[in-house]
Amino acid sequence: MTRTKRMAWVDIAKGVSIILVVMMYAVYNVGRHTGSVGFLHYLIAFATPFRMPEFFLISGLFLSTVIARPWQRYADRRFVHYIYFYVLWAFIMIALKVGIFAREPVAMAADLASAIIQPYGVLWFVYMLAVFAIAAKLLWQFRVPHWLVIAVAAGLQIAPVNVSSYIVTQFAAYFVFFYMGYAFAPQIFRMASWVAENQMKAIAALAVWFVVNGFLVFLPSFELLPDETRMGFAAFPPLHLLLGVAGAVALCAFSVVLVDRPYTGWLRWIGSHSLVIYLAFTIPMSIFREIAMTTGLITQTGPLSLAVFLVALITPVILYLAIGLTGFGHFLFERPAWARLKSE
């Protein structure tokens, strides 16, 4: 498989991942305020085992190409990069929500201080990418073998780690998937090459995975709540880990199948700009949902969830394109020179 095609399917996988993540937040946001569920809740429920694992696994795929760099170069791209966007957008969100809308400057200052040690809102993903990158670099520096890291990380994922520190809780839940993306990148790319050459067999395997994942999620004691999914067999911790890995790999394979299909360019574009969407989707999501519910524009949970999801997905794209046209606001999605570590 050529490097161009390799990057293409990775971008498609990122695109699918960011769509599922935005959909999840939009659906649960609407459900929390309407007190009911809609048709998109079932899609989100199906994706529960692998939605975030896929995002982190993909994020670790190309780590091996940079992990041997000197600390300063590595930290600039893998730590400072994410921390810059985290700090910027945490300030924007807290200032808007608490400082302007709620008019509580003291609470705003408290939230800004808290955001240093407790990742704020949906930005926890960006924060954890920086943490994971440093952890992986330290493990590489001290030559800790992959098998030992994965064994310990898998144990943490399976164990019911749920402490007051959100960093610790999310590290335990997702580091194993990020590290697997890094450690098993050669095998994943070989799998992608096999899928490209054996698409009918791959589609058949994906169909089997689809049925098995659905069966384990929806049976036997599945419960769908407005802002939460309580899975069936898939909730069993060791099985949940396996389904996370299987689902992440399945989405990689599915993305390879989509590479040569027509009309997938938009999905590749979304994937290559997934950070743009992730940073900016919550503000229009909440504003549109509030307007729609207040005015009675859309009242049913299903259609409202779909509308909120589409607005949340499309608005960051419009903002990004507008910045490109006007030349103002690049700092929102592009790290300026002053926020970079100088090369050694």
Side-chain angles (χ1 to χ4, degrees):
M1 179 180 290
T2 65
R3 179 171 179 80
T4 300
K5 276 198 172 184
R6 173 182 293 191
M7 292 302 299
W9 77 254
V10 170
D11 282 340
I12 287 176
K14 288 181 179 179
V16 174
S17 295
I18 192 63
I19 285 172
L20 288 174
V21 169
V22 173
M23 185 183 296
M24 182 269 292
Y25 279 109
V27 166
Y28 286 160
N29 182 273
V30 171
R32 189 178 304 114
H33 286 85
T34 63
S36 59
V37 302
F39 56 88
L40 285 181
H41 275 78
Y42 292 91
L43 178 56
I44 292 305
F46 176 84
T48 298
F50 59 84
R51 182 181 55 250
M52 293 311 298
E54 161 71 5
F55 221 156
F56 282 113
L57 183 137
I58 290 292
S59 298
L61 272 183
F62 294 101
L63 190 64
S64 61
T65 63
V66 300
I67 201 163
R69 289 177 179 175
W71 265 101
Q72 188 166 319
R73 286 184 62 200
Y74 179 86
D76 177 68
R77 188 65 187 90
R78 287 283 178 162
F79 181 78
V80 178
H81 178 77
Y82 292 117
I83 292 300
Y84 166 78
F85 290 115
Y86 172 77
V87 171
L88 172 65
W89 282 91
F91 177 82
I92 291 172
M93 290 179 183
I94 293 172
L96 283 174
K97 181 179 179 180
V98 186
I100 296 177
F101 296 152
R103 297 180 182 179
E104 297 180 2
V106 175
M108 182 186 79
D111 283 355
L112 287 171
S114 175
I116 298 173
I117 56 174
Q118 286 283 72
Y120 183 77
V122 301
L123 294 175
W124 71 268
F125 173 79
V126 181
Y127 191 109
M128 293 311 299
L129 281 178
V131 172
F132 288 170
I134 294 301
K137 178 69 170 178
L138 287 171
L139 291 166
W140 176 87
Q141 190 85 47
F142 290 104
R143 302 293 188 268
V144 181
H146 287 333
W147 66 266
L148 180 58
V149 176
I150 292 172
V152 173
L156 289 173
Q157 205 280 334
I158 292 171
V161 178
N162 190 8
V163 297
S164 59
S165 171
Y166 201 61
I167 296 173
V168 174
T169 299
Q170 297 302 77
F171 188 94
Y174 295 111
F175 181 67
V176 65
F177 302 108
F178 177 83
Y179 199 87
M180 281 184 171
Y182 157 53
F184 294 126
Q187 290 79 8
I188 292 171
F189 285 122
R190 280 200 293 271
M191 179 275 297
S193 297
W194 180 88
V195 170
E197 296 170 2
N198 301 271
Q199 292 204 11
M200 294 309 298
K201 292 180 180 179
I203 291 172
L206 284 170
V208 172
W209 162 79
F210 184 89
V211 172
V212 171
N213 185 82
F215 176 84
L216 295 174
V217 167
F218 294 114
L219 295 174
S221 55
F222 166 78
E223 185 178 4
L224 195 60
L225 302 176
D227 60 351
E228 181 186 358
T229 295
R230 294 178 181 174
M231 299 180 292
F233 290 119
F236 179 56
L239 189 55
H240 188 58
L241 171 61
L242 292 176
L243 287 176
V245 176
V249 172
L251 278 191
C252 289
F254 178 65
S255 300
V256 176
V257 173
L258 290 180
V259 164
D260 294 322
R261 298 295 190 272
Y263 312 116
T264 57
W266 66 274
L267 191 54
R268 288 180 56 188
W269 191 94
I270 285 177
S272 64
H273 296 82
S274 58
L275 185 61
V276 168
I277 295 170
Y278 193 89
L279 291 171
F281 81 89
T282 58
I283 297 173
M285 176 186 75
S286 297
I287 292 175
F288 179 79
R289 188 262 310 152
E290 182 67 23
I291 292 172
M293 293 187 67
T294 301
T295 62
L297 179 65
I298 308 174
T299 57
Q300 292 184 321
T301 299
L304 179 57
S305 297
L306 178 60
V308 170
F309 158 64
L310 291 174
V311 169
L313 183 69
I314 295 171
T315 303
V317 175
I318 295 173
L319 175 61
Y320 178 81
L321 295 177
I323 290 172
L325 288 174
T326 62
F328 177 76
H330 286 292
F331 69 95
L332 291 172
F333 302 118
E334 297 177 16
R335 193 161 44 119
W338 62 262
R340 299 176 184 271
L341 296 179
K342 294 182 179 179
S343 300
E344 295 177 336

